[in-house]
């Protein structure tokens, strides 16, 4: 395919120049409204059918753009997020610069490089006269709670959107990601007895009690690290994230609260890892009769293990090989991605995106040649899958 001339670096620069920091991560941040308006206008100018679809949070709408086919072919969903993490420590996060074939700025790698490539691929699809629809969903809130892709899943379930497969854009270095980890957030609260610091016969130290939990978690982390690994993701993991407790220096603390994260691999569920923690707490209770603790599960996302032999995976792999001159590499990714929501909804899903460095860091960049290759790979995959 000879793709129409589009200033892809210029498009990506414009996306990076728009502040779209997620306001749930950084209170008071700008959010996605400005970038959504730009994406919608650009895709409209390319001749796609475009609408804004609320995510369930006022002012934070997804962009849904469709390159309509004749109805005779399969429909393919392209999904990429518009929000970014914060910019603390960055010098000029929204002033994109190109040096040595790299474009720098917040979101360049995660994931506006993939978004720009997918936007161009969707525009290419409109000119191909395909049998199936190509739908681009530029979504909000991937960096926090995935409100955007959850709304897309609801639209798919209700029949407002149709997709036979999906490609999600994330910085994969042009590898095809078919597995990634999930996570579960827990809260453990140990309870003591508040008393004056001079009354050890009365007071029970909730913070000291949490120390036994922390030692147990350290052992749990070692157990997981030595357990049989998933073939592409390795083992699960656990770590303490946040801790607070006590009232003042002169008192025995009545409460201590620990928040922790358990990263999961396929085959593990929120229920199974909660049982592991309950066993740990029961063991401490058996050893220490005055130990009091409550476990609460806060939030979870499942891992993903997609079929590497699915039609969309095979189609994408063929185009990666054609564009790079090397066999496609399938891989897993340690972080959680929106792809799990789509694959979990019964839509065969794979992940691909350009190369770069500085994920959530103070210097973030994306390789422009890989952005161009990503656009070509996805456009050619669209042309074959939806023909």
């Amino acid at each position: 395919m000879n793709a129409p001339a589009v200033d892809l670096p210029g498009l990506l620069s414009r996306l990076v120049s728009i502040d779209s920091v997620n306001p749930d991560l950084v209170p008071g941040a700008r959010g996605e409204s400005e970038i959504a308006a730009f994406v919608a206008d650009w895709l409209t100018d390319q001749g796609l059918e475009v609408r804004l679809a609320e995510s369930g949070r006022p002012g934070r709408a997804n962009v849904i753009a469709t390159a309509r086919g004749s109805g005779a072919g399969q429909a393919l969903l392209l999904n990429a997020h518009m929000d970014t993490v914060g910019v603390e420590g960055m010098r000029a996060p929204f002033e994109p610069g190109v040096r040595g074939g790299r474009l720098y700025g917040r979101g360049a790698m995660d994931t506006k490089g993939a978004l720009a490539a997918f936007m161009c691929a969707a525009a290419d699809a409109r000119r191909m006269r395909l049998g199936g629809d190509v739908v681009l969903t530029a979504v909000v809130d991937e960096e926090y709670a995935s409100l955007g892709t959850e709304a897309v899943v609801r639209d798919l379930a209700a029949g407002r959107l149709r997709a036979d497969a999906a490609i999600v854009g994330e910085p994969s270095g042009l590898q095809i990601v078919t597995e990634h980890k999930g996570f579960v957030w827990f809260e453990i609260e140990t309870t003591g007895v508040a008393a004056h610091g001079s009354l050890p016969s009365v007071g029970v130290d909730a913070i000291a009690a949490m120390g036994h939990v922390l030692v147990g978690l350290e052992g749990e982390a070692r157990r997981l690290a030595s357990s049989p690994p998933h073939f592409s993701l390795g083992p699960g993991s656990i770590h303490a994230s946040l801790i607070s407790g006590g009232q003042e220096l002169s008192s025995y603390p009545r409460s201590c609260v620990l928040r922790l994260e358990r990263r999961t691999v396929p085959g593990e569920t929120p229920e199974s890892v909660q049982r592991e923690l309950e066993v740990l707490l029961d063991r401490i209770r058996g050893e220490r009769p005055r130990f009091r603790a409550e476990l609460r599960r806060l939030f979870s996302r499942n891992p993903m293990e997609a079929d590497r032999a699915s039609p969309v995976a095979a189609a994408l792999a063929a185009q990666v090989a054609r564009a790079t001159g090397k066999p496609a590499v399938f891989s897993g990714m340690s972080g959680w991605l929106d792809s799990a929501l789509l694959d979990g909804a019964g839509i065969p899903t794979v992940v691909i995106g350009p190369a770069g460095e500085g994920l959530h860091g103070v210097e973030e960049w994306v390789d422009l040649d890989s952005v161009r290759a990503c656009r070509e790979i996805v456009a050619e995959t669209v042309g074959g899958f939806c023909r």
Side-chain angles (χ1 to χ4, degrees):
M1 180 193 73
N2 294 318
V6 172
D7 181 10
L8 185 52
L11 172 60
L12 177 53
S13 293
R14 184 70 183 95
L15 293 171
V16 171
S17 74
I18 300 173
D19 177 353
S20 58
V21 173
N22 190 313
D24 284 328
L25 289 175
V26 181
R30 296 282 292 275
E32 304 94 346
S33 59
E34 183 180 351
I35 194 170
F38 172 80
V39 170
D41 288 346
W42 191 92
L43 292 167
T44 298
D45 289 344
Q46 298 297 314
L48 280 77
E49 300 174 17
V50 179
R51 63 184 174 91
L52 296 178
E54 288 299 326
S55 64
R57 192 75 64 83
R60 302 184 68 185
N62 295 332
V63 180
I64 312 293
T66 303
R68 192 70 64 189
S70 67
Q74 299 182 101
L76 184 61
L77 177 70
L78 307 179
N79 173 284
H81 66 89
M82 300 181 289
D83 62 316
T84 73
V85 296
V87 298
E88 185 176 356
M90 299 184 76
R91 288 186 177 181
F94 309 118
E95 297 177 14
V98 177
R99 301 189 300 276
R102 301 170 176 177
L103 190 144
Y104 290 78
R106 174 56 82 225
M109 176 191 184
D110 183 21
T111 195
K112 293 179 179 180
L115 175 60
F118 282 21
M119 289 168 66
C120 290
D124 296 338
R126 194 198 67 80
R127 303 176 181 95
M128 292 181 192
R129 301 183 182 278
L130 297 171
D133 293 349
V134 178
V135 181
L136 170 63
T137 56
V139 297
V140 303
D141 195 49
E142 188 274 346
E143 297 288 2
Y144 184 71
S146 297
L147 293 173
T149 297
E150 282 190 332
V152 170
V153 169
R154 289 195 297 271
D155 283 348
L156 288 164
R160 291 185 292 269
L161 290 176
R162 174 177 166 257
D164 295 295
I167 302 174
V168 171
E170 289 284 358
S172 71
L174 300 182
Q175 294 185 5
I176 301 173
V177 174
T178 45
E179 305 87 34
H180 63 70
K181 290 185 177 181
F183 65 88
V184 192
W185 292 340
F186 290 100
E187 182 175 89
I188 297 175
E189 181 176 11
T190 50
T191 303
V193 176
H196 194 281
S198 66
L199 300 173
S201 62
V202 176
V204 176
D205 189 337
I207 294 175
M210 189 63 79
H212 302 298
V213 177
L214 292 169
V215 171
L217 290 179
E218 193 173 42
E220 185 69 6
R222 288 193 299 269
R223 181 191 70 80
L224 289 169
S226 62
S227 63
H230 182 270
F231 75 94
S232 72
L233 300 173
S237 63
I238 193 167
H239 70 273
S241 302
L242 298 166
I243 192 167
S244 62
Q247 304 88 258
E248 61 270 323
L249 279 169
S250 61
S251 297
Y252 277 81
R254 65 177 177 270
S255 172
C256 183
V257 176
L258 171 72
R259 289 191 169 190
L260 61 94
E261 181 179 72
R262 173 68 155 82
R263 290 281 165 164
T264 57
V265 296
E268 296 180 319
T269 66
E271 293 75 20
S272 70
V273 299
Q274 181 164 340
R275 284 194 295 272
E276 293 171 355
L277 290 173
E278 288 169 345
V279 168
L280 167 62
L281 295 178
D282 283 343
R283 185 172 71 245
I284 300 172
R285 290 186 186 102
E287 297 168 350
R288 301 182 176 276
R290 299 182 76 186
F291 178 80
R292 298 289 183 272
E294 182 180 355
L295 174 66
R296 294 183 283 267
R297 191 165 81 215
L298 303 177
F299 186 72
S300 65
R301 290 297 192 194
N302 290 329
M304 183 181 87
E305 187 171 57
D307 181 4
R308 293 186 172 187
S310 69
V312 68
L316 191 61
Q319 295 307 326
V320 169
R322 187 196 60 76
T324 64
K326 300 175 182 178
V329 175
F330 286 86
S331 67
M333 189 174 283
S334 60
W336 190 86
L337 307 173
D338 275 357
S339 46
L341 295 174
L342 295 166
D343 196 70
I347 309 297
T349 302
V350 290
V351 180
I352 196 169
E357 289 187 7
L359 190 71
H360 295 196
V362 296
E363 185 175 75
E364 179 180 357
W365 57 266
V366 69
D367 177 78
L368 286 172
D369 282 344
S370 72
V371 176
R372 296 184 184 96
C374 183
R375 179 257 184 102
E376 179 184 349
I377 289 164
V378 173
E380 292 287 358
T381 301
V382 163
F385 190 86
C386 302
R387 65 180 184 278

